[in-house]
Amino acid sequence: MMRAYKFLMRPTVGQNIALGEMLRDHCSLYNGALQERRDAYRHVSKTTVRYGDQSAQLKEIRAFDPEGQGRWSFSSQQATLRRLDKAFAAFFEGVKDRRTAGYPRFKGVGHFDTVVFPRDGDGCRWDSTPLGPQTRVRLQGVGHIRVHQHRPVRGQVKTVAVRREGKRWYLILTCGDVPAEPLPQTGSQVGIDMGVTHFLTKSDGVHVANPRLLEASAESLAEAQRHLATFPKRTGRRTKAHRAAARKVATLHAKIRRKRLDHHHKVALDLVREYDVIGHERLNTVGMTKAPAPRPDPERPGNFLPNKAAAKAGLSRSVFDAGWGIFLGILADKAESAGRRVIPVNARDTSRTCPECGHAAKENRTTQAKFECTACGFLANADHVGALNVLSRAGLALCAGA
């Protein structure tokens, strides 16, 4: 089993400067490789430049710039070029499947935030001072950096990544052959219905509150964004006040993201500890949050009819704030480690189908929270009804699999 561990790094002032320079040089390498591909294809010969061609040039690039590109790990630079190659592969795959695919773009220094070392021991070394009192990681060109290791690392370290988030630096270890830690069987099953009024509702009728973290920080975040908007978007040289305003907005977003992840991990852990089988709706969050298409007015060319975009934007914001997709991914990972079973089921009409008589109709759900069957008169909370139907469908899927 694969598992990722994320630890906070505590570099010195000199190491912090070196880490910033490492990111800038890798960003420059990425943009230079992208420019080479663009120029080669724009040439009359329509030449295609691939990863192997650009990787073979690294030796000359490092020799030409020993104080810049030559300082860093050869393997990490290959990983940066491979990252660009994957971006082009995804673009061409999207074009082939007739999907909307973004062409790889140049990265700004502030947006290129990760450097990957493909193998532990090649340009990096996890736990480089095992006999010392502090855990450290050694990075080529930077040195031994102190790491705040808050939990043990299990399995074999495969890759090491360094990521910058605001003013903080994090170390991400990807480990393989991580042993599972199965929990004792409880003999219980549950179905969950995701929502925005309640974060989720279980089939036993228990509601888990939605913290609404983005809404709670909306006022301070809006103030910080308004202050940032007072600066020009494109300037040759950004001022110190401009950079401080941008950092404040990024810090607020990072704080919200960390709180959301903490909530997701705690709720998922409670579910995994309490139930052997967990059923949930198979949600298409991308389609649910997609902006509605414009409605041209047939009577007035050039004008458009109302398409409820404002209402859809509010719902999409609530869905993003809840983070359903991230939570379900965390739940699946924890269940795999604990030896539990997570079953995604078809979400169609789960909150419109009566769990008593099976009658499904749009009229059954009179309001957002109220369910009243038009056939048998069954009355219940709509989210609870959805969780009951999810549990029923998960049980059928479990029986079919067995």
Side-chain angles (χ1 to χ4, degrees):
M1 186 175 65
M2 299 291 292
R3 177 176 290 179
Y5 297 88
K6 185 176 180 180
F7 300 122
L8 177 67
M9 301 170 63
R10 301 189 183 277
T12 62
V13 175
Q15 291 171 344
N16 188 76
I17 295 174
L19 288 171
E21 293 175 349
M22 180 177 69
L23 275 186
R24 283 193 292 272
D25 285 341
H26 278 76
C27 178
S28 176
L29 178 65
Y30 182 96
N31 291 335
L34 174 57
Q35 185 65 52
E36 181 186 19
R37 290 192 180 216
R38 289 162 58 100
D39 293 343
Y41 189 76
R42 287 173 177 173
H43 192 264
V44 65
S45 61
K46 297 291 184 181
T47 305
T48 300
V49 178
R50 304 187 183 276
Y51 163 75
D53 304 324
Q54 295 184 321
S55 179
Q57 301 173 19
L58 277 177
K59 186 176 181 181
E60 298 178 4
I61 294 173
R62 293 166 60 87
F64 178 77
D65 187 18
E67 299 299 324
Q69 297 290 347
R71 291 182 294 170
W72 317 118
S73 166
F74 190 92
S75 297
S76 68
Q77 293 172 327
Q78 286 181 318
T80 299
L81 295 178
R82 201 174 291 114
R83 173 179 171 181
L84 176 64
D85 190 65
K86 289 181 180 179
F88 271 99
F91 167 71
F92 289 119
E93 187 69 22
V95 173
K96 181 179 178 181
D97 296 342
R98 297 182 179 180
R99 292 183 286 106
T100 302
Y103 187 82
R105 297 182 295 179
F106 293 102
K107 302 288 187 181
V109 176
H111 292 85
F112 193 93
D113 55 7
T114 305
V115 173
V116 178
F117 297 84
R119 187 174 59 184
D120 183 30
D122 188 359
C124 66
R125 171 64 68 185
W126 164 245
D127 198 9
S128 57
T129 56
L131 301 180
Q134 297 286 343
T135 303
R136 298 179 184 272
V137 61
R138 188 192 68 82
L139 302 178
Q140 181 177 331
V142 182
H144 298 267
I145 308 174
R146 189 159 63 94
V147 178
H148 179 67
Q149 185 183 357
H150 60 274
R151 59 171 175 162
V153 175
R154 303 183 184 276
Q156 181 181 1
V157 177
K158 298 291 186 180
T159 64
V160 179
V162 177
R163 176 178 296 175
R164 180 179 60 192
E165 295 183 7
K167 298 178 67 175
R168 299 186 179 187
W169 293 91
Y170 289 93
L171 186 76
I172 302 174
L173 307 176
T174 304
C175 300
D177 303 326
V178 179
E181 301 173 358
L183 296 174
Q185 297 292 314
T186 62
S188 57
Q189 305 177 1
V190 71
I192 59 175
D193 180 85
M194 309 300 299
V196 293
T197 303
H198 306 286
F199 179 69
L200 64 84
T201 301
K202 297 192 286 187
S203 54
D204 56 7
V206 177
H207 299 289
V208 176
N210 185 2
R212 300 181 184 273
L213 298 169
L214 186 60
E215 182 179 332
S217 304
E219 185 175 348
S220 57
L221 185 59
E223 182 181 356
Q225 288 175 331
R226 282 195 297 267
H227 179 58
L228 178 62
T230 60
F231 296 94
K233 292 186 177 180
R234 294 184 180 273
T235 58
R237 182 178 181 183
R238 294 188 174 183
T239 63
K240 183 178 180 180
H242 190 177
R243 292 194 296 269
R247 281 198 303 269
K248 185 173 183 180
V249 174
T251 300
L252 288 173
H253 277 295
K255 188 174 182 179
I256 295 171
R257 182 172 61 251
R258 289 195 299 270
K259 286 184 177 180
R260 184 182 295 118
L261 283 175
D262 180 69
H263 177 259
H264 288 172
H265 278 282
K266 289 178 179 178
V267 174
L269 185 59
D270 290 341
L271 289 172
V272 167
R273 285 174 174 172
E274 191 173 353
Y275 303 100
D276 294 339
V277 179
I278 304 168
H280 68 81
E281 298 169 303
R282 186 184 291 110
L283 300 175
N284 179 17
T285 55
V286 176
M288 295 172 65
T289 55
K290 186 178 180 180
R295 296 175 56 196
D297 191 344
E299 299 180 357
R300 295 181 299 170
N303 295 319
F304 296 88
L305 298 173
N307 62 349
K308 300 182 180 181
K312 181 66 183 299
L315 177 61
S316 300
R317 190 180 303 110
S318 299
V319 172
F320 285 130
D321 190 15
W324 295 343
I326 299 175
F327 168 75
L328 294 178
I330 292 173
L331 178 63
D333 292 339
K334 289 186 181 296
E336 180 185 7
S337 177
R340 303 306 200 202
R341 184 82 177 269
V342 174
I343 304 177
V345 302
N346 186 7
R348 185 180 180 85
D349 291 335
T350 51
S351 60
R352 298 177 178 177
T353 303
C354 179
E356 292 291 329
C357 66
H359 174 65
K362 181 180 180 180
E363 294 74 16
N364 286 350
R365 189 166 185 176
T366 56
T367 65
Q368 180 67 24
K370 183 180 178 182
F371 178 93
E372 185 174 1
C373 181
T374 57
C376 68
F378 177 76
L379 184 65
N381 179 272
D383 294 336
H384 185 202
V385 168
L388 288 173
N389 288 320
V390 168
L391 177 61
S392 175
R393 295 181 186 184
L396 292 175
L398 190 63
C399 294

